[in-house]
Amino acid sequence: MNLANVDIIGNIVGLNSFELNNIIVGNSSLSGEGLWILPSYFNHSCIDENGTQYILGDLMFIRSLRPILQGEELLVNYRSGESNNEIRLMLLKSMGIDCQCRLCKLDKSETPETTHKRAQLLNTVEKLLKLVTNEPEPEPSLIKKLEKTIFELHNLRKEHPELEFDTLEPNRIISLAYRKNGNLRKALSILKGVYNSYKNVYLKNINWIVLDIVSLCTDLKQMEEARKWVDILLKGSVEPLLGKFKDEDKWKKEALYLMEKKKLIRL
Ligand SMILES: C[S@@+](CC[C@H](N)C(=O)[O-])C[C@H]1O[C@@H](n2cnc3c(N)ncnc32)[C@H](O)[C@@H]1O
């Protein structure tokens, strides 16, 4: 009798399966992990990946994010560079991956002093964020303190602002704090600044920022501007899955149709 080798099967599943919590079209109640043979040949990159995966029913599709040259390595994200750093590095370590993407190279080139300073600042940011989030009308002095800490954090990576992800969510919360205090214009300008600093990298979480921008423009009655950002949101959500829309007149109708079907938009 041939016995199955549990260790080998465990390794095959552990090293090749995809989490289902990513992008699911059609059935958002699915969770856990799945194994797809061809996608398991794709390697990982935390940033600058050239493909993105989505699941339709039980099929996985991988779409290129830009033209790929013959012989070029095919790369998707097993875990995105914008996600929690510690969890990402733990996953890569468990898979024996010594990632050479520009984010990992930058991380590795950081001095121990900078790493220590970052940990300290993140600690302060975390405490301040809790206070700001809990207050219905956050104290201006608290917001300023948070802004100052975020500025210092940002400065640690000022040569590579597009690879600095620690301030993305905190900036969103600062914007929310200004909004709670009625300063919608300041809230909007913070988010537009955040959007612009990541314009040249593919970030899944940027859609949340764009959605907040749309909502702020609407509250400020800047309807033309709101429409412009709705287009950015639609394109940013649908194009990675369906490819660049060729027909400029028809694209919005198609994107809205897909948005109505809800699960296609990754928000
Ligand atoms: C899902 S498989 C990818 C396909 C695999 N390279 C192959 O040739 O069949 C995952 C394994 O590929 C390797 N791998 C994937 N991305 C890598 C990377 N960026 N650097 C080094 N090794 C990587 C690791 O050994 C990892 O456990």
Side-chain angles (χ1 to χ4, degrees):
M1 184 172 51
N2 284 332
L3 291 179
N5 185 325
V6 177
D7 288 342
I8 292 182
I9 294 176
N11 273 341
I12 292 173
V13 173
L15 296 178
N16 293 286
S17 57
F18 285 85
E19 279 185 35
L20 288 177
N21 64 5
N22 198 355
I23 316 137
I24 297 166
V25 183
N27 186 354
S28 60
S29 64
L30 278 177
S31 63
E33 296 193 357
L35 207 51
W36 285 266
I37 303 298
L38 286 177
S40 75
Y41 285 101
F42 280 68
N43 279 346
H44 162 86
S45 184
C46 309
I47 193 104
D48 300 333
E49 68 271 34
N50 52 23
T52 184
Q53 68 273 36
Y54 68 101
I55 298 161
L56 177 63
D58 58 4
L59 297 177
M60 176 175 283
F61 292 81
I62 300 193
R63 177 170 281 285
S64 58
L65 289 168
R66 57 174 177 278
I68 298 174
L69 297 175
Q70 189 176 359
E72 201 180 327
E73 188 176 13
L74 296 174
L75 296 163
V76 294
N77 260 181
Y78 300 169
R79 177 74 65 158
S80 161
E82 62 192 294
S83 64
N84 181 292
N85 219 20
E86 234 172 277
I87 297 176
R88 182 180 108 254
L89 295 179
M90 230 158 60
L91 175 94
L92 296 183
K93 198 170 169 206
S94 75
M95 295 184 79
I97 296 176
D98 180 18
C99 184
Q100 296 296 321
C101 76
R102 59 191 176 114
L103 177 65
C104 284
K105 279 188 184 153
L106 187 64
D107 279 348
K108 283 171 202 155
S109 69
E110 204 168 78
T111 63
E113 291 75 34
T114 307
T115 309
H116 180 66
K117 180 83 187 154
R118 179 188 310 286
Q120 278 182 328
L121 289 170
L122 280 172
N123 202 358
T124 312
V125 166
E126 200 182 317
K127 285 183 193 143
L128 290 169
L129 281 183
K130 270 194 199 128
L131 295 173
V132 167
T133 314
N134 289 337
E135 284 189 27
E137 281 177 32
E139 281 287 318
S141 62
L142 201 58
I143 302 181
K144 287 277 169 250
K145 216 167 161 184
L146 183 55
E147 275 182 309
K148 186 175 165 283
T149 319
I150 289 179
F151 179 76
E152 285 180 48
L153 203 47
H154 203 268
N155 252 354
L156 294 182
R157 206 155 260 190
K158 62 174 180 293
E159 313 294 332
H160 302 274
E162 80 286 8
L163 295 182
E164 195 287 297
F165 302 121
D166 288 333
T167 60
L168 204 140
E169 186 56 20
N171 264 323
R172 193 169 167 230
I173 293 180
I174 288 196
S175 161
L176 189 65
Y178 275 109
R179 192 175 187 169
K180 282 190 201 167
N181 288 350
N183 194 344
L184 303 191
R185 282 178 200 284
K186 177 79 180 172
L188 183 60
S189 89
I190 290 172
L191 293 184
K192 284 187 178 176
V194 172
Y195 179 84
N196 282 329
S197 54
Y198 299 108
K199 239 166 62 187
N200 296 326
V201 281
Y202 172 64
L203 289 190
K204 289 168 183 155
N205 281 337
I206 207 74
N207 285 343
W208 289 107
I209 302 283
V210 182
L211 193 65
D212 281 358
I213 293 178
V214 170
S215 153
L216 278 163
C217 290
T218 313
D219 285 358
L220 282 163
K221 308 263 180 299
Q222 299 177 0
M223 301 321 282
E224 203 48 49
E225 188 71 359
R227 269 190 278 276
K228 186 185 108 188
W229 285 94
V230 166
D231 285 1
I232 293 173
L233 178 66
L234 282 174
K235 284 193 173 176
S237 305
V238 177
E239 282 189 345
L241 307 183
L242 297 186
K244 286 243 173 280
F245 287 104
K246 293 197 179 67
D247 189 328
E248 271 299 311
D249 295 329
K250 283 198 197 139
W251 78 265
K252 201 187 271 186
K253 211 170 147 197
E254 195 173 340
L256 283 168
Y257 168 76
L258 293 168
M259 198 156 191
E260 245 181 68
K261 290 198 140 207
K262 279 189 210 138
K263 285 147 201 150
L264 201 55
I265 306 294
R266 297 187 299 168
L267 287 175

